[in-house]
Amino acid sequence: MCGIAGFSGVPAAPETARATLERMIHTLHHRGPDGYGFHVGDGVGLAHARLSIIDLATGQQPIHNERRTVWTVFNGGIFNYVELREQLERQGHRFYTQSDTEVIVHLYEQHGDDFVSHLNGQFAIALWDAERRRLLLARDRTGIRPLFHTRAHGRLWFGSEIKALLAVLPQRATLDPTGLAQTLNYWGPVDPATVFEGIHSLPPGHVLTVDEGNRETLRRYWDWSFPVAAEQTMASARRMFGSEEQAAAELRELLIDAVRLRLRADVPVGAYLSGGLDSSGIVALIRRFTDTPVRTFSVAFADSEFDESAEQAAMVRHLGTEHTTMHCSRRDIGMAFPQLIRHTETPILRTAAAPLMLLSGRVRSEGYKVVLTGEGADEVFGGYDIFKEAKVRRFWARQPQSRFRPRLLERLYGYLENSPVGNAAFAQAFFGKGMEHIDRPIFAHAPRWATSQHALRFLSADMRASIGDWQPLDGYEQRLPASIMSWHPLARDQYVEAKSLLAAYLLPAQGDRVAMANSIEGRFPYLDHRLIEFANRLPPSWKIRGLTEKYLLRRALDGLLPADILHRTKQPYRAPDQTSFFFDGKPLDYVADLMSSERIRAAGYFDADATGRLFDKCRHGRAIGFADNQAFVGILSTMLLDETFLRRSSSDPHGALCSD
Amino acid sequence: MSNEPKEIEAKIRSYILENLLFSNDPTELPNDASLLDRGIIDSTGVLEIVLFLEGEFDIQIKASEMLPENFDTVNNMVAFVQRLRVAVQ
């Protein structure tokens, strides 16, 4: 829930500070339509846009401690606030609201900066310690809630979305070439980078403090961490977990508790049903182990390659939930895309976020503010094809002459119309590439990034020059933990996936932004950090058994789901890509305008001739591969970003900061 | 329709430059360069080439002929198309 914004540093007159905060927070109205709150102190300004979910009566922010020396605004949910409050009250702290927010200020008094380690939740927090004249920013462990910051005019400025910063610092509306290249390559920028020059994203699991002397300290308090592979024997697993059956039972208890905590709300709660194992499992756990009534929602597509409505309907029948299906057409996606990019504030390579934005609108219109989803299960329990693909490629690499081993790849990607393994000889040639990276942590991701790198071909000569000699594989590896090669290969792949796809793309572009576009709070039980820590200690063969993904999760959910859902092979959630923008060979009007050679040249990011050829290929329905589709969606979304944020600000250079 | 290797080559080169390299610079496409190694075609990209070759040269390509060695370079594609066209005549 909510949006936050503010600054610390050079003091401003209270009325000017308040006006500045209002300009920032009004851009986040969609995140918090239920009211605004402000705190202006000497050297600090905090603003909050509220989506009321817990403590509807007295939960307004900012919230302060007993002596009014510690103030906070926060976005998200602290799910264990009931237990934390009991402890804090025993320790003598007095509460003046019923909100989850209030535990933050008292925990900070009790534990200092380490208070974040006590939180089970999804949060972006700004906390002002008036006595030490010190600002603290904190973000949840996996990156569910966003938080951006930048420095200007002797202050540190922060906001839940970049638009809050641009409202007072329009000079920041400049595209960062490296951020763009990263996004086109890895699917999202690598934090702290964003696609806006000088604007940083606070990395997940980190605390940033700015003290009175304006000194910044960035500290990591949590990370995805895995055991050393050599010490991860079956004997050690048996000591730690007992039998597989006992581990599955422990996992089920953890899942029940993760779900139970995420049902804490003073408003009704809904859930998304994709038709797959993960979301079905969440709804089944709610139905079986809680008294909470739950309403379910799903997306259906006309195109059978993407549609899962038969599986969704089977699950609805099994669970007996009141269910709403939103039908989404290619045209719906194309028409919603500009609004989507206003929310994502970054280029994207797939359109799959657009139906989710439309779905959250439907959820909101039905009177709901909170939905639980299955996000995270694939990262935590080893569900993605990329993990199985890497497993087969490593197996193959041990006997490169084998003609049988690469044929295991044919068992993957069965759901794709134009499957990359549809032709065995080419699949072998394609997946056989990149084998030289076998001893590198990015081994699993090199083929995916080779596909997305196609988009970089379209960059203009100027952009290429600005990017310089950036090397995508080396560049990413520099960001990885030093110990990563001591982990099991699956653990390495999970880590890179948790950072490059989950934190940089799925949680922002397909999670927070598209839900918050319609004031909906998504909650993700599989990303409870206790579950992640439990799963990271599991032996890899309990995650992927043979080529069966999420093995232990299936065992934990056994008996709760119909057999065909329980044993169904993972189908990733996707939507029609470039075909959403052309109808009978004609582009949507805004697409024709933005992709015209004049607009491409004027923006300067892409080569107009090359882009024109891609446009023609798409228009004639000849772009069938992922590489072309992703390049097209990436270029179009960059042009929308230009239209929405960059071009507008350059034509209005004086709409600047009013506070100084 | 001509069977001249030069004409076949010109058509294949023009298609690949335009539709896979998105370029009009012929130096980007040496005739003996591996399109797979250079990342110019992925395993779905080959379907595009097959559709093009079948339509342009009036040939039928069997699944058993969809091998990297037939499609990996411009030279190999030219030789492959020639072989098929000789076979149908």
Side-chain angles (χ1 to χ4, degrees):
Chain A
M1 58 175 171
C2 317
I4 62 173
F7 61 84
S8 75
V10 177
E15 56 279 14
T16 335
R18 169 71 182 236
T20 303
L21 290 172
E22 284 182 2
R23 289 180 68 177
M24 296 178 83
I25 203 70
H26 287 169
T27 64
L28 303 180
H29 179 75
H30 53 283
R31 299 186 71 92
D34 298 333
Y36 297 116
F38 301 91
H39 171 69
V40 175
D42 185 18
V44 71
L46 305 175
H48 183 252
R50 182 171 193 219
L51 178 64
S52 44
I53 289 174
I54 290 175
D55 188 11
L56 309 186
T58 64
Q60 291 89 352
Q61 300 184 32
I63 290 273
H64 54 78
N65 63 344
E66 298 92 332
R67 296 185 295 124
R68 303 174 78 90
T69 55
V70 178
W71 291 79
T72 193
V73 285
F74 118 103
N75 162 219
I78 310 295
F79 302 125
N80 62 339
Y81 77 102
V82 176
E83 294 77 11
L84 290 172
R85 181 180 176 128
E86 279 169 14
Q87 279 174 26
L88 288 162
E89 283 178 333
R90 277 200 301 275
Q91 288 160 338
H93 295 273
R94 282 174 292 108
F95 284 71
Y96 71 103
T97 72
Q98 296 301 314
S99 71
D100 54 339
T101 316
E102 200 176 350
V103 299
I104 293 171
V105 291
H106 298 299
L107 264 183
Y108 172 76
E109 290 183 298
Q110 197 69 28
H111 302 285
D113 294 359
D114 196 41
F115 77 97
V116 281
S117 304
H118 297 258
L119 305 176
N120 184 338
Q122 48 193 43
F123 48 83
I125 295 170
L127 180 144
W128 174 248
D129 183 333
E131 289 178 328
R132 296 171 69 187
R133 296 181 57 81
R134 182 170 179 268
L135 180 77
L136 176 149
L137 302 178
R139 221 173 141 210
D140 61 58
R141 294 169 178 85
T142 55
I144 297 169
R145 294 293 160 232
L147 191 53
F148 299 96
H149 60 93
T150 189
R151 276 206 166 271
H153 311 295
R155 291 179 181 154
L156 182 119
W157 303 81
F158 63 88
S160 293
E161 295 183 16
I162 289 168
K163 47 181 74 70
L165 302 174
L166 299 182
V168 288
L169 301 167
Q171 69 272 27
R172 286 281 180 274
T174 308
L175 189 84
D176 183 298
T178 306
L180 175 64
Q182 289 175 344
T183 305
L184 294 177
N185 190 84
Y186 311 122
W187 293 48
V190 182
D191 56 50
T194 69
V195 294
F196 292 86
E197 221 165 79
I199 294 184
H200 309 295
S201 168
L202 180 62
H206 279 70
V207 170
L208 176 72
T209 53
V210 189
D211 65 19
E212 195 177 358
N214 238 342
R215 197 173 54 239
E216 285 182 26
T217 310
L218 182 67
R219 182 178 70 86
R220 173 182 283 166
Y221 69 91
W222 190 88
D223 199 10
W224 294 69
S225 177
F226 294 85
V228 172
E231 293 163 14
Q232 217 179 4
T233 61
M234 283 318 290
S236 70
R238 302 246 182 263
R239 273 198 305 279
M240 209 177 312
F241 301 103
S243 65
E244 270 181 29
E245 204 172 339
Q246 287 167 309
E250 188 180 346
L251 173 54
R252 182 185 279 207
E253 289 307 311
L254 271 170
L255 283 167
I256 293 168
D257 200 54
V259 166
R260 185 183 60 85
L261 289 187
R262 280 159 188 77
L263 291 171
R264 286 179 169 168
D266 298 329
V267 294
V269 173
Y272 286 169
L273 262 189
S274 74
L277 175 76
D278 311 335
S279 58
S280 302
I282 297 297
V283 179
L285 288 162
I286 298 172
R287 296 287 283 171
R288 179 70 76 87
F289 298 103
T290 76
D291 300 326
T292 310
V294 62
R295 171 84 177 272
T296 51
F297 300 88
S298 63
V299 179
F301 295 104
D303 188 336
S304 62
E305 187 182 359
F306 308 104
D307 187 58
E308 296 181 75
S309 42
E311 291 82 4
Q312 292 158 2
M315 203 55 216
V316 168
R317 278 195 302 277
H318 177 77
L319 295 166
T321 58
E322 190 186 337
H323 184 78
T324 301
T325 300
M326 186 202 70
H327 294 272
C328 184
S329 70
R330 290 190 292 130
R331 192 178 288 276
D332 294 334
I333 293 173
M335 297 304 286
F337 201 68
Q339 189 199 346
L340 173 67
I341 302 304
R342 278 198 290 280
H343 287 287
T344 63
E345 302 178 327
T346 189
I348 52 178
L349 308 186
R350 297 267 178 104
T351 62
L356 292 175
M357 182 180 74
L358 298 171
L359 182 63
S360 72
R362 182 64 180 272
V363 172
R364 183 73 189 187
S365 71
E366 302 276 350
Y368 285 74
K369 291 181 177 177
V370 179
V371 288
L372 270 60
T373 87
E375 199 67 77
D378 290 312
E379 290 81 357
V380 176
F381 294 103
Y384 285 125
D385 279 330
I386 198 170
F387 301 138
K388 293 195 279 186
E389 177 189 299
K391 185 173 179 176
V392 173
R393 289 169 65 228
R394 288 186 176 103
F395 180 61
W396 178 16
R398 288 208 296 272
Q399 275 188 29
Q401 302 313 314
S402 166
R403 294 189 69 80
F404 159 73
R405 293 189 172 200
R407 299 213 61 163
L408 289 170
L409 289 164
E410 292 167 40
R411 289 171 55 184
L412 310 178
Y413 303 109
Y415 50 86
L416 293 176
E417 194 176 313
N418 297 309
S419 166
V421 295
N423 179 285
F426 268 99
Q428 291 188 28
F430 181 59
F431 290 108
K433 281 185 63 189
M435 285 301 203
E436 69 274 22
H437 305 309
I438 187 90
D439 292 321
R440 299 178 65 173
I442 47 68
F443 173 72
H445 289 75
R448 175 193 288 170
W449 294 344
T451 299
S452 45
Q453 264 165 41
H454 179 59
L456 301 176
R457 288 173 201 275
F458 296 93
L459 290 174
S460 66
D462 283 354
M463 286 299 281
R464 285 168 199 268
S466 308
I467 292 160
D469 65 348
W470 170 73
Q471 297 290 325
L473 302 186
D474 295 345
Y476 207 85
E477 281 181 337
Q478 285 159 12
R479 312 295 314 272
L480 298 172
S483 60
I484 193 166
M485 286 309 288
S486 73
W487 302 348
H488 187 279
L490 175 61
R492 297 173 211 160
D493 304 346
Q494 282 184 270
Y495 187 92
V496 176
E497 191 72 349
K499 299 292 175 169
S500 66
L501 196 78
L502 181 70
Y505 170 70
L506 290 175
L507 289 176
Q510 277 187 209
D512 176 85
R513 304 312 188 81
V514 291
M516 277 300 175
N518 294 297
S519 316
I520 294 293
E521 174 170 310
R523 294 181 174 181
F524 317 114
Y526 293 113
L527 290 175
D528 186 307
H529 69 280
R530 299 168 305 167
L531 264 177
I532 298 175
E533 289 166 1
F534 171 86
N536 289 2
R537 288 185 288 119
L538 292 171
S541 64
W542 290 7
K543 294 177 190 164
I544 302 180
R545 171 70 49 95
L547 287 181
T548 301
E549 74 280 5
K550 292 182 286 198
Y551 171 76
L552 197 72
L553 179 63
R554 288 173 202 270
R555 288 202 59 167
L557 296 172
D558 196 10
L560 296 176
L561 300 171
D564 49 343
I565 296 277
L566 191 66
H567 301 302
R568 192 175 169 222
T569 301
K570 160 97 192 150
Q571 169 164 348
Y573 165 70
R574 290 168 50 236
D577 285 309
Q578 58 85 11
T579 56
S580 300
F581 304 102
F582 297 92
F583 297 88
D584 300 325
K586 290 201 185 75
L588 294 173
D589 286 349
Y590 79 87
V591 177
D593 176 35
L594 287 176
M595 298 295 278
S596 68
S597 57
E598 300 77 46
R599 289 297 296 269
I600 296 280
R601 272 197 194 91
Y605 313 127
F606 299 104
D607 180 277
D609 293 339
T611 303
R613 292 188 178 95
L614 176 64
F615 182 84
D616 282 340
K617 189 175 178 183
C618 292
R619 188 157 60 91
H620 292 116
R622 294 198 309 264
I624 54 177
F626 280 142
D628 285 340
N629 272 273
Q630 291 180 181
F632 182 83
V633 176
I635 293 169
L636 177 63
S637 52
T638 305
M639 291 302 293
L640 279 164
L641 201 72
D642 182 67
E643 164 92 352
T644 310
F645 295 104
L646 309 173
R647 201 161 172 253
R648 182 171 298 171
S649 84
S650 63
S651 64
D652 174 27
H654 305 296
L657 187 67
C658 62
S659 62
D660 291 319
Chain B
M1 197 178 292
S2 170
N3 270 349
E4 283 299 312
K6 279 289 158 207
E7 279 186 39
I8 296 175
E9 180 192 303
K11 283 178 176 167
I12 291 176
R13 286 186 57 84
S14 152
Y15 176 82
I16 294 174
L17 276 167
E18 183 86 5
N19 288 280
L20 297 175
L21 284 166
F22 305 95
S23 168
N24 56 6
D25 176 2
T27 64
E28 284 188 44
L29 184 63
N31 283 346
D32 57 354
S34 163
L35 304 180
L36 272 167
D37 285 350
R38 293 187 168 208
I40 295 167
I41 50 171
D42 58 18
S43 53
T44 53
V46 73
L47 294 175
E48 297 177 18
I49 292 187
V50 167
L51 289 174
F52 162 73
L53 294 179
E54 288 188 340
E56 182 67 37
F57 299 108
D58 196 22
I59 53 177
Q60 293 292 316
I61 298 172
K62 297 192 202 79
S64 60
E65 293 166 331
M66 292 205 4
L67 301 169
E69 51 264 41
N70 287 337
F71 296 91
D72 195 30
T73 66
V74 172
N75 285 340
N76 290 5
M77 276 186 245
V78 173
F80 176 62
V81 168
Q82 269 194 299
R83 271 203 313 281
L84 285 191
R85 287 184 57 83
V86 168
V88 293
Q89 280 170 356

